[in-house]
Amino acid sequence: MTTPPALPGHPAAPPRGFGGRCPAATPLYGPQLDGDGLPALYEELRRTYGPVAPVTVAPGIDAWLVLGHRELLQLTRDEQDFSHDPRRWSLMREGRVPADSPILPMVGWRPALLYADGQQHRRMRAAVSDALAGINGHELRRTVRAQAEQLIASFAGRREADLVPHYARKLPMQVITGLLGLDERTGQQLVQAIAGMAVGNADSANANNRMGVILQALIEEKRSRPGSDITSALLQHPARLTDEEVLHNLVVMFVAGNQTTVNWIATTLRILLCDPAFRSSLTGGHLTVDDALDLVLWRFPPTQNFPARYATRDLSFGGQDIRAGDMLVLGLAAANADPAVLPADGSPVVGNRSHLAFGGGPHTCPAQDPARLITRTAVDTIRHRLPDLELAVPEADLAWTKSPWSKGLAALPVRFTEPHLPSVRPSGESS
C-alpha cells in the first residue's frame, strides 16, 4: 500500500491502521498551534486521508480525528462499536499515558454521563436533563439581561471595551455559576480551573484538582442546605446519584456550558461587527439573532474538537483500519465544513440546524436550549444598549485562542459613542 504524501510542514503520513502505534501523525497541540490555520489543516487532512485522519493530541498520544459529517454521525450514534468509556483506551490500559499528560483531564474516566454507555448513561442523563428542564426560561432570560446590562454599564463610560474579557467571558460565568448555586467569587475560581484544564499544558492536572475541591465543597453545602439550583436538583433526583457522580456531572455541565457559551457570544458579535450585509439584514428584520447563532455553530463551532470515543473491536471506518482500543476524536468543526453536506458555494443554509456543534446521538448536549437562551439574550442586549458598536481594530487583527479543543476569540476590542442604558429598579430588573 502506498503511503499518503506528507502534509506541508508535517512529517510523512503514517500508514493506515496506526492506532497509537506510529509517532508520525499530524499534531493537534503545541505552541505552534494556529487557531486561524486549523480550518485549512482540516481540509488538508481530508484531502490526504479522507473522512478519518491520524493525529496526535498530546506528546506520544495518537488518535483518529473524524472529519466527515456522515462518519461523525455514525460515531456518535453507534455505542456498539464506539464506546464513551476511556477505560477501553488501549494506551491507558497499557500504561502509556503519563500521569501528568495534559490530555488526561480531558479524557480520564469520570463517573459522569459523558463517560458512560447504555443504561448507566441513561440513568445519569435523566438526572441532568431533569435538572436542566427545571430552569425557568423566563427567569433565566431576566437574569441574563439584568447581568448583561450591569456589565455594559461597567464599561459604558469609557466608550470602548474588549468584549471577550469584559462581557462574553464574565456573563456566562455569572449566570451558570448562579444556576449551579455558587457565589460569584467561587464561580470565578471554578472558571479559572476549568480554563486551565482546557488549555492542555503542564498545569492541567493541577487545575483539575482545584476544580474538584471547589465542587466538593459545593456539594457538601447543598446536601445540608438545598436550594433551587442545579446542584440541589441533581442531589435530590430519583436516580440517586452519589456525591462523586454529582461532582463529575457538574464538571461535564460546566465545561460544556461555560467556555462554549463564551465562545458562542463573542463569535456571534464578531460576525455582526464584521459582516455589514448580515448586520443590515438583522437590523431590517430579514434575519434573526438565532440565524446569526446558527451561522456561528456551522462555521465556528465553540467546541471544534471533542474527545473521545474508543473502538470496541477491530473495524474499517472512514477508509481506515481501526483497532480495538483506538481513540477517536470528534472533529466537530471539520464535520460542519464537510463539502458533502454543504451547498456548492460552501455556505450553510440559513435556518438549517443539521450542524454537529452539539454532537449527535444519545450524547447530544442536553444543555443546548439554556445555552442558546443565554447567548441570544447576551447578543440582543448589547445590540440594543450599544447600537453604534464597531470594531476598534482591523478585522484582520482579530485572532483565535490557541487550543485544539475550543474555538474562541482571544480578544474583541470595540468602541461606541452613545450607550442606551436603562434605568434600574430596586429589584435589579431593568426597565
Side-chain angles (χ1 to χ4, degrees):
M1 179 171 61
T2 303
T3 299
L7 299 180
H10 295 283
R16 296 183 176 190
F18 79 104
R21 293 164 289 281
C22 177
T26 302
L28 286 183
Y29 66 92
Q32 81 289 347
L33 192 71
D34 182 357
D36 286 314
L38 278 173
L41 175 59
Y42 299 148
E43 295 315 305
E44 287 285 352
L45 290 170
R46 198 191 312 275
R47 284 192 292 270
T48 303
Y49 297 101
V52 179
V55 296
T56 55
V57 294
I61 307 298
D62 293 328
W64 298 102
L65 180 64
V66 181
L67 306 155
H69 190 278
R70 182 176 64 84
E71 287 75 16
L72 193 53
L73 277 177
Q74 180 181 346
L75 183 75
T76 57
R77 292 170 175 172
D78 183 358
E79 291 186 309
Q80 187 86 17
D81 290 334
F82 304 107
S83 172
H84 295 75
D85 192 337
R87 291 172 295 186
R88 292 178 175 269
W89 186 20
S90 57
L91 293 186
M92 185 75 78
R93 292 201 312 268
E94 296 163 6
R96 296 171 58 189
V97 182
D100 60 351
S101 174
I103 191 66
L104 202 53
M106 299 288 289
V107 301
W109 180 80
R110 299 176 185 272
L113 76 169
L114 186 61
Y115 307 93
D117 302 312
Q119 179 58 37
Q120 186 70 345
H121 168 254
R122 289 190 291 273
R123 169 179 161 268
M124 288 188 281
R125 186 178 177 97
V128 170
S129 296
D130 289 347
L132 292 170
I135 297 173
N136 184 304
H138 296 295
E139 289 184 6
L140 178 58
R141 186 178 296 106
R142 286 194 293 269
T143 297
V144 176
R145 184 180 296 115
Q147 294 185 350
E149 288 173 343
Q150 290 174 10
L151 289 174
I152 294 167
S154 72
F155 57 71
R158 300 196 298 270
R159 303 296 193 268
E160 63 179 14
D162 183 340
L163 294 184
V164 171
H166 297 156
Y167 190 70
R169 193 174 293 155
K170 286 185 176 181
L171 183 55
M173 181 273 293
Q174 292 177 356
V175 174
I176 296 172
T177 54
L179 290 173
L180 297 185
L182 283 167
D183 61 75
E184 184 174 348
R185 179 175 175 274
T186 309
Q188 290 175 339
Q189 295 172 347
L190 181 61
V191 170
Q192 293 168 359
I194 297 289
M197 278 177 52
V199 168
N201 59 24
D203 189 53
S204 293
N206 291 331
N208 183 52
N209 292 335
R210 294 195 300 273
M211 175 192 64
V213 169
I214 293 169
L215 291 177
Q216 185 58 50
L218 172 65
I219 289 168
E220 291 172 0
E221 176 190 346
K222 296 302 177 181
R223 278 285 188 201
S224 59
R225 293 187 301 276
S228 56
D229 51 72
I230 288 175
T231 305
S232 299
L234 289 177
L235 289 168
Q236 296 168 354
H237 194 272
R240 302 180 64 85
L241 271 59
T242 66
D243 285 6
E244 185 182 25
E245 288 174 334
V246 171
L247 186 153
H248 289 287
N249 280 290
L250 288 176
V251 171
V252 170
M253 294 169 71
F254 195 86
V255 170
N258 184 70
Q259 189 59 48
T260 52
T261 309
V262 171
N263 296 345
W264 200 2
I265 293 170
T267 308
T268 303
L269 291 173
R270 172 180 176 161
I271 286 181
L272 296 180
L273 290 168
C274 297
D275 190 332
F278 197 97
R279 185 169 183 169
S280 176
S281 295
L282 187 64
T283 303
H286 303 294
L287 295 175
T288 67
V289 171
D290 273 309
D291 293 327
L293 300 185
D294 288 326
L295 185 64
V296 169
L297 295 178
W298 271 107
R299 292 184 179 174
F300 315 103
T303 301
Q304 59 178 326
N305 298 308
F306 195 80
R309 302 291 191 271
Y310 307 90
T312 61
R313 63 182 180 89
D314 294 352
L315 75 160
S316 178
F317 178 62
Q320 303 288 2
D321 296 326
I322 310 297
R323 306 273 184 89
D326 281 359
M327 173 191 285
L328 298 99
V329 174
L330 286 68
L332 305 177
N336 279 353
D338 188 344
V341 298
L342 294 178
D345 64 359
S347 300
V349 177
V350 172
N352 183 341
R353 292 188 180 176
S354 62
H355 58 74
L356 294 171
F358 294 116
H363 282 255
T364 300
C365 175
Q368 54 185 288
D369 288 341
R372 180 177 286 270
L373 189 154
I374 292 169
T375 305
R376 183 197 304 121
T377 307
V379 172
D380 254 341
T381 303
I382 200 167
R383 283 180 60 239
H384 288 105
R385 298 309 179 196
L386 304 176
D388 64 345
L389 198 67
E390 62 179 24
L391 274 180
V393 299
E395 181 183 353
D397 290 350
L398 297 177
W400 301 105
T401 55
K402 294 182 180 296
S403 169
W405 311 111
S406 179
K407 183 73 170 181
L409 285 169
L412 187 62
V414 297
R415 55 178 172 249
F416 46 91
T417 57
E418 298 181 3
H420 294 179
L421 299 180
S423 59
V424 179
R425 298 169 181 162
S427 65
E429 290 187 7
S430 60
S431 61

